[in-house]
Amino acid sequence: MQSTDLEEIKAALWEQASHPCTRVSWGTAQVMAVRKSRGQLLVLLRGFSRWHPVEFVTIERPRLCPT
């Protein structure tokens, strides 16, 4: 699912840290943090040291997690 809601993305990031099945990404890069500045959604991607402006992020949650 694609999301622009800051609170929903933060909740998914918390799940991503706790459960290996949940994945928050933008393109092929994994999202590590999210914030809003001047109404724009900014994400910190794994392996990059700067904030990137994005329109949305993708949240993947499987129906059944094997753990």
Side-chain angles (χ1 to χ4, degrees), residues 2 10 22 31 39 46 55 60:
Q2 296 176 342
K10 284 183 177 183
T22 302
V31 174
R46 185 177 196 147
E55 293 183 15
E60 298 172 8

Side-chain angles (χ1 to χ4, degrees), residues 1-19:
M1 124 174 107
Q2 296 176 342
S3 178
T4 58
D5 181 30
L6 188 62
E7 295 304 317
E8 183 178 26
I9 297 169
K10 284 183 177 183
L13 286 172
W14 183 260
E15 288 178 25
Q16 176 177 274
S18 320
H19 304 289

Side-chain angles (χ1 to χ4, degrees), residues 11-54:
L13 286 172
W14 183 260
E15 288 178 25
Q16 176 177 274
S18 320
H19 304 289
C21 297
T22 302
R23 180 169 163 84
V24 183
S25 61
W26 178 71
T28 59
Q30 185 178 8
V31 174
M32 303 307 291
V34 64
R35 71 177 185 181
K36 275 200 174 180
S37 176
R38 299 179 189 153
Q40 190 172 30
L41 188 65
L42 301 169
V43 296
L44 187 61
L45 302 173
R46 185 177 196 147
F48 293 92
S49 59
R50 68 176 191 91
W51 293 89
H52 296 274
V54 298

